[in-house]
Short mmCIF file of all heavy atoms in Angstrom, two decimals:
data_model
loop_
_atom_site.label_atom_id
_atom_site.label_comp_id
_atom_site.label_asym_id
_atom_site.label_seq_id
_atom_site.Cartn_x
_atom_site.Cartn_y
_atom_site.Cartn_z
N ALA A 245 199.49 145.56 100.51
CA ALA A 245 200.25 146.77 100.86
C ALA A 245 201.43 146.43 101.76
O ALA A 245 202.54 146.97 101.61
CB ALA A 245 199.32 147.77 101.56
N LYS A 246 201.17 145.52 102.70
CA LYS A 246 202.25 145.11 103.61
C LYS A 246 203.38 144.43 102.85
O LYS A 246 204.57 144.67 103.09
CB LYS A 246 201.68 144.17 104.67
CG LYS A 246 202.69 143.80 105.75
CD LYS A 246 202.03 142.95 106.82
CE LYS A 246 203.03 142.59 107.90
NZ LYS A 246 202.41 141.77 108.96
N SER A 247 202.98 143.58 101.88
CA SER A 247 203.97 142.86 101.07
C SER A 247 204.78 143.83 100.23
O SER A 247 206.00 143.71 100.10
CB SER A 247 203.27 141.83 100.18
OG SER A 247 204.19 141.17 99.35
N GLU A 248 204.07 144.82 99.63
CA GLU A 248 204.76 145.80 98.80
C GLU A 248 205.71 146.67 99.64
O GLU A 248 206.80 147.03 99.19
CB GLU A 248 203.73 146.68 98.09
CG GLU A 248 202.94 145.94 97.01
CD GLU A 248 201.86 146.81 96.39
OE1 GLU A 248 201.62 147.92 96.93
OE2 GLU A 248 201.28 146.40 95.38
N LYS A 249 205.28 146.98 100.87
CA LYS A 249 206.12 147.80 101.74
C LYS A 249 207.40 147.06 102.11
O LYS A 249 208.51 147.62 102.12
CB LYS A 249 205.34 148.17 102.99
CG LYS A 249 206.09 149.13 103.92
CD LYS A 249 205.21 149.53 105.09
CE LYS A 249 205.94 150.50 106.00
NZ LYS A 249 205.10 150.90 107.15
N THR A 250 207.23 145.76 102.39
CA THR A 250 208.40 144.92 102.73
C THR A 250 209.37 144.84 101.56
O THR A 250 210.59 144.94 101.71
CB THR A 250 207.94 143.52 103.13
OG1 THR A 250 207.05 143.62 104.26
CG2 THR A 250 209.12 142.63 103.49
N ALA A 251 208.78 144.67 100.36
CA ALA A 251 209.60 144.58 99.15
C ALA A 251 210.35 145.88 98.91
O ALA A 251 211.52 145.90 98.50
CB ALA A 251 208.73 144.22 97.95
N ALA A 252 209.66 147.01 99.17
CA ALA A 252 210.29 148.32 98.97
C ALA A 252 211.46 148.52 99.93
O ALA A 252 212.51 149.06 99.57
CB ALA A 252 209.24 149.42 99.17
N LYS A 253 211.28 148.03 101.17
CA LYS A 253 212.36 148.16 102.15
C LYS A 253 213.58 147.34 101.73
O LYS A 253 214.73 147.79 101.83
CB LYS A 253 211.87 147.70 103.51
CG LYS A 253 210.93 148.68 104.21
CD LYS A 253 210.54 148.16 105.59
CE LYS A 253 209.65 149.17 106.31
NZ LYS A 253 209.26 148.68 107.65
N LYS A 254 213.27 146.12 101.26
CA LYS A 254 214.37 145.26 100.80
C LYS A 254 215.11 145.88 99.62
O LYS A 254 216.34 145.83 99.53
CB LYS A 254 213.82 143.89 100.41
CG LYS A 254 213.36 143.06 101.60
CD LYS A 254 212.85 141.69 101.14
CE LYS A 254 212.42 140.84 102.33
NZ LYS A 254 211.93 139.51 101.89
N LYS A 255 214.36 146.49 98.72
CA LYS A 255 214.95 147.11 97.55
C LYS A 255 215.81 148.31 97.95
O LYS A 255 216.92 148.51 97.44
CB LYS A 255 213.85 147.55 96.58
CG LYS A 255 214.40 148.11 95.27
CD LYS A 255 213.26 148.45 94.31
CE LYS A 255 213.82 148.97 92.99
NZ LYS A 255 212.73 149.31 92.04
N ALA A 256 215.31 149.12 98.89
CA ALA A 256 216.06 150.30 99.35
C ALA A 256 217.35 149.87 100.04
O ALA A 256 218.42 150.48 99.86
CB ALA A 256 215.19 151.12 100.31
N LYS A 257 217.24 148.78 100.84
CA LYS A 257 218.43 148.26 101.52
C LYS A 257 219.46 147.77 100.53
O LYS A 257 220.66 148.01 100.66
CB LYS A 257 218.01 147.14 102.46
CG LYS A 257 219.18 146.56 103.28
CD LYS A 257 218.68 145.47 104.21
CE LYS A 257 219.84 144.89 105.01
NZ LYS A 257 219.39 143.80 105.91
N HIS A 258 218.95 147.10 99.46
CA HIS A 258 219.84 146.57 98.43
C HIS A 258 220.54 147.70 97.69
O HIS A 258 221.76 147.65 97.42
CB HIS A 258 219.03 145.72 97.46
CG HIS A 258 219.86 145.13 96.36
ND1 HIS A 258 220.83 144.16 96.60
CD2 HIS A 258 219.88 145.37 95.00
CE1 HIS A 258 221.40 143.82 95.46
NE2 HIS A 258 220.84 144.55 94.47
N ILE A 259 219.80 148.76 97.39
CA ILE A 259 220.37 149.92 96.69
C ILE A 259 221.44 150.59 97.57
O ILE A 259 222.51 150.99 97.12
CB ILE A 259 219.28 150.93 96.30
CG1 ILE A 259 218.36 150.32 95.24
CG2 ILE A 259 219.87 152.25 95.83
CD1 ILE A 259 217.16 151.17 94.91
N LYS A 260 221.13 150.68 98.88
CA LYS A 260 222.08 151.32 99.80
C LYS A 260 223.36 150.52 99.88
O LYS A 260 224.48 151.07 99.89
CB LYS A 260 221.43 151.41 101.18
CG LYS A 260 222.31 152.15 102.20
CD LYS A 260 221.58 152.25 103.53
CE LYS A 260 222.45 152.99 104.54
NZ LYS A 260 221.76 153.11 105.85
N GLU A 261 223.21 149.18 99.90
CA GLU A 261 224.40 148.31 99.96
C GLU A 261 225.23 148.43 98.69
O GLU A 261 226.47 148.46 98.72
CB GLU A 261 223.97 146.86 100.16
CG GLU A 261 223.39 146.61 101.57
CD GLU A 261 222.86 145.20 101.71
OE1 GLU A 261 222.72 144.51 100.67
OE2 GLU A 261 222.54 144.79 102.84
N GLU A 262 224.53 148.52 97.55
CA GLU A 262 225.25 148.68 96.28
C GLU A 262 225.99 150.02 96.24
O GLU A 262 227.13 150.12 95.77
CB GLU A 262 224.28 148.58 95.11
CG GLU A 262 223.78 147.17 94.84
CD GLU A 262 222.90 147.12 93.61
OE1 GLU A 262 222.43 148.20 93.18
OE2 GLU A 262 222.69 146.02 93.08
N LYS A 263 225.35 151.07 96.74
CA LYS A 263 225.95 152.41 96.75
C LYS A 263 227.21 152.42 97.63
O LYS A 263 228.24 153.01 97.27
CB LYS A 263 224.94 153.43 97.24
CG LYS A 263 225.45 154.86 97.17
CD LYS A 263 224.35 155.83 97.60
CE LYS A 263 224.87 157.26 97.52
NZ LYS A 263 223.86 158.23 97.96
N THR A 264 227.11 151.74 98.77
CA THR A 264 228.26 151.67 99.67
C THR A 264 229.43 150.94 99.02
O THR A 264 230.60 151.33 99.12
CB THR A 264 227.87 150.93 100.97
OG1 THR A 264 226.80 151.63 101.59
CG2 THR A 264 229.05 150.85 101.94
N ALA A 265 229.08 149.88 98.33
CA ALA A 265 230.11 149.09 97.64
C ALA A 265 230.79 149.93 96.57
O ALA A 265 232.01 149.90 96.40
CB ALA A 265 229.48 147.85 97.02
N TYR A 266 229.98 150.71 95.82
CA TYR A 266 230.55 151.57 94.78
C TYR A 266 231.49 152.60 95.40
O TYR A 266 232.56 152.93 94.88
CB TYR A 266 229.46 152.27 93.98
CG TYR A 266 228.69 151.33 93.08
CD1 TYR A 266 227.34 151.50 92.86
CD2 TYR A 266 229.33 150.29 92.43
CE1 TYR A 266 226.64 150.68 92.04
CE2 TYR A 266 228.65 149.43 91.60
CZ TYR A 266 227.28 149.64 91.40
OH TYR A 266 226.60 148.81 90.58
N CYS A 267 231.07 153.14 96.52
CA CYS A 267 231.91 154.16 97.20
C CYS A 267 233.24 153.57 97.65
O CYS A 267 234.30 154.20 97.55
CB CYS A 267 231.16 154.77 98.40
SG CYS A 267 229.77 155.82 97.94
N ASP A 268 233.16 152.35 98.17
CA ASP A 268 234.38 151.68 98.61
C ASP A 268 235.33 151.42 97.43
O ASP A 268 236.55 151.63 97.55
CB ASP A 268 234.04 150.35 99.29
CG ASP A 268 233.32 150.56 100.62
OD1 ASP A 268 233.38 151.68 101.15
OD2 ASP A 268 232.67 149.60 101.11
N LEU A 269 234.75 151.02 96.31
CA LEU A 269 235.57 150.78 95.14
C LEU A 269 236.21 152.10 94.66
O LEU A 269 237.37 152.13 94.21
CB LEU A 269 234.73 150.16 94.01
CG LEU A 269 234.30 148.70 94.23
CD1 LEU A 269 233.35 148.27 93.12
CD2 LEU A 269 235.54 147.80 94.22
#
Side-chain angles (χ1 to χ4, degrees):
K246 186 176 181 180
S247 177
E248 290 176 350
K249 185 176 181 180
T250 301
K253 285 182 177 180
K254 290 181 178 180
K255 185 176 181 181
K257 183 179 179 181
H258 180 68
I259 293 174
K260 184 178 180 180
E261 290 175 348
E262 287 184 343
K263 185 176 180 182
T264 301
Y266 289 145
C267 290
D268 292 343
L269 288 174

